[in-house]
Amino acid sequence: MRYQNTITGIMIILVLAGGVFSFFYFSFDQIMKETVGEFFSDYFADFNRVEIDDVIEDIGEVWSPGPLVKEDDNHLSGVLTRAGIIGETNREREARNVAPLSENQKLNGIAKIKLNDMFENQYFAHISPLGVGVADIAKDTTYEYLLIGDNLAMGNYRDDSDIVNAWMMSPGHRRNILEERYGEIGVAAGKGNYEGREIWMAVQVFAMPSDACPEVDANLKREIERKKARAEELLSERDALQREIDAIRPRGGEEHIAKVSEYNKLVETYNNLIKSLDTLIEEYNQQIELRRRCVVGEGLTI
């Protein structure tokens, strides 16, 4: 009887011990899963919401109002000059509190190429019979711009003031002359044979050079891409480590605790990386916004 009671007591103790072990085993397993999962899932969501604005590339916008022809010139023969046309153009700008344009030799060259092409190929238009305009000439001469425009005029104008005044009387040409975003100008004027008579042609080329607006740091974007790639690597490491932890038995043993510790260090590394990435992306997007506002003419406030 005493022996039977002893066996019964041992069995009761074993059942109780098993229950206690199961309780702590599964409770600790759940605690460990919650511990390794809570921070990583939050930062993973933040990472997915991060966006990088697109860089505004050179727009290549072209303003070319219809060519201006002076019909009632009575065969007057005046003289047109590059310096005079530029001077009269800047006087019109300054009279309206618009900054004067700087003469640019590449733009002078573009204007000269356009002028010569019109005489040689007997046309008077912004686009040649071969489909070439000042934007194409600018590209061929490696002049980089954000905005470019040209004014054309043909006729025997009295002088530089007369031709600029004629452009100012035309809304499209006036817009080119007074556009605030333009910073540079080139001019060519010459007399030649067009459709059987001697006549003057003049070309104004206006431009907003590509360096007129703040540049976006290409190195900064590369660093963002590098850190994003590293973040993706860490996410893959996270998934692999999670599978290892799930497969470990028993829970709470040395191996399990070591892997959880490794997981939590990875979480800390990832979180710090994301914070750094957020800062870089914010700086990058600010640079893009400054450039965008400059290009579209909204002004800059730093």
Side-chain angles (χ1 to χ4, degrees):
M1 184 71 175
R2 183 179 302 172
Y3 177 75
Q4 203 172 25
N5 289 339
T6 299
I7 293 176
T8 301
I10 292 173
M11 290 180 66
I12 291 173
I13 291 172
L14 289 173
V15 169
L16 290 174
V20 170
F21 175 80
S22 297
F23 173 78
F24 281 105
Y25 178 88
F26 289 108
S27 295
F28 185 76
D29 181 44
Q30 183 62 32
I31 291 171
M32 293 304 291
K33 285 184 177 180
E34 290 175 356
T35 299
V36 296
E38 64 175 311
F39 289 111
F40 210 102
S41 61
D42 287 344
Y43 271 104
F44 180 58
D46 283 342
F47 177 71
N48 283 341
R49 286 196 296 267
V50 168
E51 294 182 359
I52 303 177
D53 291 342
D54 291 330
V55 177
I56 294 184
E57 302 293 345
D58 289 359
I59 291 180
E61 187 178 357
V62 182
W63 290 0
S64 298
L68 186 66
V69 180
K70 185 174 184 179
E71 299 290 355
D72 57 342
D73 57 24
N74 296 318
H75 301 290
L76 296 174
S77 182
V79 176
L80 302 179
T81 67
R82 172 185 293 134
I85 291 174
I86 292 175
E88 291 296 328
T89 298
N90 278 333
R91 268 189 282 277
E92 294 290 350
R93 290 172 67 91
E94 291 169 348
R96 294 162 181 80
N97 296 316
V98 181
L101 300 167
S102 299
E103 182 178 357
N104 180 276
Q105 293 306 316
K106 276 195 174 183
L107 292 183
N108 282 337
I110 292 169
K112 183 65 173 175
I113 291 171
K114 177 64 179 176
L115 179 72
N116 292 342
D117 190 56
M118 289 192 295
F119 276 125
E120 289 172 9
N121 293 290
Q122 292 293 286
Y123 72 94
F124 183 58
H126 290 284
I127 303 300
S128 77
L130 296 178
V132 176
V134 294
D136 303 295
I137 301 171
K139 182 178 180 180
D140 290 341
T141 57
T142 67
Y143 180 90
E144 297 181 358
Y145 63 88
L146 296 171
L147 174 65
I148 195 168
D150 59 326
N151 284 347
L152 305 181
M154 179 172 64
N156 290 318
Y157 295 89
R158 293 189 307 272
D159 53 27
D160 300 320
S161 176
D162 188 28
I163 192 172
V164 171
N165 182 63
W167 276 323
M168 287 293 292
M169 296 296 290
S170 165
H173 300 88
R174 177 188 178 93
R175 180 190 184 193
N176 263 341
I177 289 174
L178 300 180
E179 170 55 47
E180 294 185 358
R181 285 179 291 166
Y182 288 142
E184 298 180 342
I185 186 174
V187 169
K191 194 173 186 180
N193 184 282
Y194 180 72
E195 295 184 343
R197 67 174 180 140
E198 288 292 310
I199 198 166
W200 281 88
M201 286 189 189
V203 179
Q204 284 180 310
V205 180
F206 310 89
M208 178 186 192
S210 61
D211 60 1
C213 292
E215 295 289 342
V216 176
D217 188 350
N219 291 329
L220 182 58
K221 184 175 184 180
R222 283 192 286 270
E223 179 65 8
I224 288 171
E225 296 301 333
R226 186 189 69 79
K227 290 195 176 215
K228 285 181 65 178
R230 178 55 183 151
E232 296 291 349
E233 291 175 358
L234 289 174
L235 293 181
S236 296
E237 292 177 26
R238 182 276 311 265
D239 293 340
L241 198 52
Q242 179 70 69
R243 288 191 293 271
E244 288 184 44
I245 292 172
D246 289 343
I248 294 175
R249 296 294 184 275
R251 295 290 197 267
E254 288 186 6
E255 183 184 4
H256 188 251
I257 292 174
K259 284 295 181 182
V260 169
S261 176
E262 182 181 346
Y263 188 104
N264 287 334
K265 287 179 181 178
L266 186 148
V267 170
E268 182 179 4
T269 299
Y270 180 87
N271 290 348
N272 290 335
L273 177 63
I274 293 301
K275 289 177 182 178
S276 171
L277 188 57
D278 285 343
T279 300
L280 293 179
I281 290 175
E282 182 179 2
E283 180 183 351
Y284 184 78
N285 288 343
Q286 286 176 351
Q287 290 184 12
I288 289 178
E289 177 61 13
L290 285 175
R291 183 171 176 83
R292 184 195 69 78
R293 289 168 59 192
C294 174
V295 169
V296 301
E298 293 181 4
L300 296 175
T301 302
I302 301 177

